[in-house]
Amino acid sequence: MVPRGAFSLAASIKFLEGFTPASYAGPADGVLELAFPAEGSWQTVGVRVRQEPSGGVTAEIVSPAEPGPGLVAEVRPQVERIVSLDVDGSGFPAVGERDPVVGELQRRYPGLRPVGFWSPYEAAAWTIIGHRIRIMQAAAIKARIAERLGEPVSFGGRVVHAFPSPQPA
């Protein structure tokens, strides 16, 4: 994947680590490890996202071990959306030139693009889970739902539970 405009996976990971609903704590090597149901088939996948020195971004499906071409086709646009690579950010620097507040944020967080929920279904579930309770409580409930009902994905020595799909098992 080739980002259009500034992009820093490291900045995105740092954002995600501080975003309570995500409860993300990944490896310390600048790699983003995601576990989620692929939209369409709802098959749980494990994806490892890296930013190459050239600036390009690669997403490797690590689970299932041998994904078919249909699953790869489902996962790519979903990963692009999750890490905000589905948006052309090439005009964003001009916004910072016109607006000093935006410009300061761009300097403070270079290349940051928000990391979205893995799916609109998960975002909708978060809205219901987090309604009128503290964000820390909601994040704990969401994590327990994933651990009890979601499928585990192994990234070597680390297991990540995907938030369950809307598809009944």
Side-chain angles (χ1 to χ4, degrees), residues 21-153:
S23 300
Y24 185 77
D29 59 1
V31 173
L32 181 60
E33 294 177 337
L34 309 171
F36 57 88
E39 294 172 354
S41 68
W42 297 114
Q43 180 177 355
T44 298
V45 296
V47 178
R48 188 173 284 131
V49 182
R50 288 186 170 81
Q51 187 163 15
E52 304 300 329
S54 65
V57 177
T58 59
E60 171 194 11
I61 298 175
V62 297
S63 179
E66 295 183 29
L71 185 60
V72 171
E74 285 177 353
V75 169
R76 182 185 173 112
Q78 192 169 352
V79 170
E80 288 175 333
R81 184 186 48 72
I82 290 167
V83 296
S84 295
L85 290 179
D86 60 336
V87 176
D88 184 348
S90 58
F92 189 51
V95 176
E97 292 170 8
R98 293 188 305 271
D99 185 315
V101 174
V102 172
E104 174 56 32
L105 290 170
Q106 289 172 334
R107 285 185 290 283
R108 190 179 306 165
Y109 305 105
L112 174 64
R113 294 194 188 189
V115 178
F117 282 96
W118 304 171
S119 70
Y121 169 74
E122 184 178 354
W126 171 255
T127 300
I128 294 165
I129 294 165
H131 184 70
R132 300 190 66 164
I133 63 174
R134 294 182 182 183
I135 196 167
M136 296 295 283
Q137 291 171 303
I141 291 168
K142 182 177 168 278
R144 283 196 308 273
I145 290 171
E147 288 172 10
R148 290 183 184 163
L149 303 173
E151 291 184 39
V153 174

Side-chain angles (χ1 to χ4, degrees), residues 143-165:
R144 283 196 308 273
I145 290 171
E147 288 172 10
R148 290 183 184 163
L149 303 173
E151 291 184 39
V153 174
S154 177
F155 290 93
R158 190 169 93 84
V159 173
V160 177
H161 288 84
F163 192 80
S165 80

